[in-house]
Amino acid sequence: MSTTERPRILVVGGGYVGLYAARRILKKMRYGEATVTVVDPRSYMTYQPFLPETAAGNISPRHVVVPLRRVLPKAEVLTGRVTTIDQDRKVATVSPLVGESYELPFDYLVIALGAVSRTFPIPGLAEQGIGMKGVEEAIGLRNHVLEQLDKADSTTDEEIRRKALTFVFVGGGFAGAETIGEVEDLARDAAKYYKTVSREDMRFILVDAADKILPEVGPKLGQYGKEHLESRGVEIYLSTSMDSCVDGHVVLKNGLEVDSHTVVWTAGVKPNPALARYGLPLGPRGHVDTATTLQVQGTDYIWAAGDNAQVPDLVGRKAGNENAWCPPNAQHALRQAKVLGDNVISGMRGFPQKDYSHANKGAVAGLGLHKGVAMIVVGKMKIKVKGRLAWYMHRGYHGMAMPTWNRKIRVFADWTLGMFLKREVVALGAMENPREEFYEAAKPAPAPAVKAEPEAEKAKAS
């Protein structure tokens, strides 16, 4: 590790908040004023709102990730995990990808670990479930779905076909509704190239414990989204949950039982459990408790924002809701990261901190190609949009929110090509075990079998 007498700003996590906060700090910082160190187990940041489109093949997986070292050339980027933090000594323990753990001193600390999938102790979920928090999972889901069509096309066993062509999605928020909408589109297009598989042979099921889907866009647009998905043959079961999915046998609390090779889990997120080892004040749901300045309560050198932080919502509280907190979405994460970066610089120079305050600008969701819902807040008005226009708004908003012009251009290029070329429906299942074929080829050839001599020949030879 490089050693320096300059103060170190340690950013734990290279996700949306970590990336944007580090960029903001580097932009505002004077030359040689401090060292910015970013630690994350991955060397890239993933733009999660594009994962459903990645799973559907509308966007190349490489275009929804941003390489940290390329975007933060003036920062020190370490690939590893911060396992513990000693606040008294101001030292973090870093566990790298290889080798022994080591201690890293810091002067200022930014906690930007984000969130992980919120799971429950449901029998079979760990073995059968597919999450949608990372680009690896989106690629895996795409390959998996297309492989199920390959399986169904290659057999005449009705039980195997039925299990392969049944797709269960748990969670009806943005992630669940957008993913099932995109995957249903993908499967519908892919089925055109199979002789024995059609869309009518498939069964798509969406399950949610709440009484509505897409709560972020309001009840009316949520109801529209539900009716739209149902018009495409998606079965939606609300106010129910999954009790078990052992060996792909899915049992719902409402009594429905189906066999499925595909169980996609998008039932919310929770703060990264690593926070419990950092000795920070946590809220009732495990978020880091912060002040309105994004400083961790009781400290003047630690900041937190994004999905792992419990940030007071000043706009909601001014409206009378004393327990209002900022929701965990990309809109707040982006804006919090900028305020956090400014406050770190202010804290380092001894200047006052700035409060974070941001009014909700609305929400957009895509439900497949040319289909979507959008709720835009203008002053006190809420403008509700649905259909193709909402889909354009969804793509426009997230396309411009994608970090760096390099990635923006690549994403818009993917969309432009998709207007003129048919969707790719190739499953690269071998990506799961890329060395398997080489391993088989490199194994020693078996020795030839020795032909046994007949008994009469043995007697004659003797």
Side-chain angles (χ1 to χ4, degrees), residues 383-400:
I383 303 173
K384 298 178 177 64
V385 186
K386 54 191 178 184
R388 185 181 287 259
L389 178 58
W391 177 76
Y392 283 129
M393 296 170 72
H394 161 75
R395 280 198 163 182
Y397 173 78
H398 286 299
M400 294 310 296

Side-chain angles (χ1 to χ4, degrees), residues 182-376:
E182 295 286 357
V183 170
E184 193 274 338
D185 253 4
L186 168 68
R188 184 184 294 272
D189 282 352
K192 299 172 184 176
Y193 302 98
Y194 291 88
K195 294 189 181 298
T196 64
V197 176
S198 67
R199 173 61 183 90
E200 288 69 31
D201 298 323
M202 304 177 206
R203 188 177 185 185
F204 283 84
I205 298 172
L206 179 62
V207 182
D208 198 288
D211 60 354
K212 55 183 174 294
I213 68 170
L214 294 169
E216 300 90 343
V217 296
K220 288 186 178 180
L221 287 178
Q223 180 63 25
Y224 166 81
K226 177 177 179 291
E227 292 172 356
H228 169 76
L229 290 173
E230 288 176 333
S231 71
R232 290 161 58 183
V234 176
E235 301 173 37
I236 299 178
Y237 298 99
L238 302 177
S239 302
T240 192
S241 56
M242 184 172 70
D243 283 343
S244 170
C245 60
V246 176
D247 296 328
H249 182 67
V250 177
V251 179
L252 302 185
K253 196 170 286 292
N254 64 0
L256 180 69
E257 297 188 26
V258 297
D259 289 317
S260 172
H261 280 306
T262 310
V263 178
V264 182
W265 183 267
T266 59
V269 296
K270 64 180 180 182
N272 195 309
L275 295 171
R277 300 193 296 270
Y278 291 175
L280 301 170
L282 303 180
R285 294 179 297 166
H287 300 78
V288 180
D289 190 12
T290 73
T292 54
T293 58
L294 304 176
Q295 285 177 305
V296 174
Q297 295 285 7
T299 74
D300 60 359
Y301 65 95
I302 306 177
W303 292 261
D307 292 358
N308 69 183
Q310 181 178 271
V311 180
D313 181 1
L314 288 179
V315 175
R317 296 189 179 197
K318 286 178 182 176
N321 183 0
E322 295 183 0
N323 294 316
W325 306 98
C326 295
N329 58 35
Q331 183 182 150
H332 278 287
L334 171 60
R335 289 164 175 81
Q336 286 173 7
K338 292 179 179 178
V339 174
L340 187 153
D342 290 344
N343 282 351
V344 170
I345 294 294
S346 297
M348 188 167 56
R349 296 174 182 170
F351 296 148
Q353 299 281 294
K354 177 184 176 183
D355 287 335
Y356 171 75
S357 178
H358 171 66
N360 180 27
K361 299 297 183 184
V364 290
L367 299 173
L369 210 57
H370 306 142
K371 301 168 279 283
V373 291
M375 186 269 291
I376 309 300

